[in-house]
Amino acid sequence: FWYEREVEGRTELVVVDAATGAVETFIDTERTRAEFRARSGGGDKADRGPGVPSPDGSMSAFLRDDNVWVRWNGGGREVQLTSDGDEFVAYDVTDGWSGTWAHWSPNARHLVMMRTDRTSVPTRPSVDWLAAHPNVEWVVDYPWSTQASQSLLTWDAGTERLRRLDVDLAGVDAHWTAFFGWTPDGTEVLVGKQYPGEKRVEVVGVDPASGAARAIFAEAGDVPMEADALDLTVLDDGFLWASERGGLR
């Protein structure tokens, strides 16, 4: 059988022979990562994932050392968009609608991403009881905690400018924010917001160029609405909204 363990901050996959009791390290993820970087010529750069390509195929957004970068696919030019990513500030939190963390506009002019700050989220102990000496690691709670702070950022490929989009129209910080999509012409980002108590939801349209925001519609009910179940489908001339204001769709 095999199991996973943490040793001095790195992850190992260990194989155990049940008959003899022999223990062997099958994969040392840190060593494997280092070998891959050396073979690929990546040095100490910790690129994660294949990246999110733009609709026209000219660029790709990717994560390196917890921060967002963009690479031009033709000449290989790279630009770093963020610099504050770490174990508490994350840009890789995916949503339940698109399954990705980065969202290009249809015309490939703008890139939208979510910044999730878990600095104020309590940590909890994670204990590896299978190790020879139980390892205790304090980890941050799940990224959608109501104590996490979320903000929406957009990057303009033309000006190469990064800006924060203000979507708190009601003057109250939502405890949950999600990217729902783009209008077909790519002029507005559609953002879903759920407020404390989970009984009110808003859909906001934001102009990524100017940052101007407008409330498209709001829905409120007497019972909490499940954030994971909220669903908006963008159409050519509008959108479909799966309402839960009565507790059922």
Side-chain angles (χ1 to χ4, degrees), residues 56-147:
D56 61 0
S58 64
M59 296 169 286
S60 293
F62 64 98
L63 293 165
R64 174 180 294 162
D65 296 331
D66 299 316
N67 283 292
V68 183
W69 290 66
V70 166
R71 177 187 297 117
W72 277 259
N73 296 331
R77 176 176 171 243
E78 297 179 347
V79 60
Q80 183 174 355
L81 308 191
T82 67
S83 58
D84 60 346
D86 57 24
E87 61 178 319
F88 296 107
V89 177
Y91 292 94
D92 61 348
V93 178
T94 60
D95 57 50
W97 294 267
S98 64
T100 185
W101 56 271
H103 312 275
W104 289 96
S105 61
N107 59 10
R109 175 63 187 255
H110 294 97
L111 173 70
V112 168
M113 69 214 79
M114 189 75 70
R115 179 184 184 273
T116 302
D117 187 348
R118 296 171 290 184
T119 305
S120 300
V121 178
T123 56
R124 57 180 174 80
S126 176
V127 183
D128 180 5
W129 294 104
L130 296 178
H133 300 285
N135 297 319
V136 179
E137 180 183 8
W138 289 88
V139 298
V140 178
D141 204 351
Y142 68 101
W144 298 279
S145 167
T146 57
Q147 292 168 295

Side-chain angles (χ1 to χ4, degrees), residues 39-54:
R39 292 183 181 183
S40 62
D44 294 329
K45 297 177 181 179
D47 292 4
R48 291 159 48 197
V52 181
S54 61

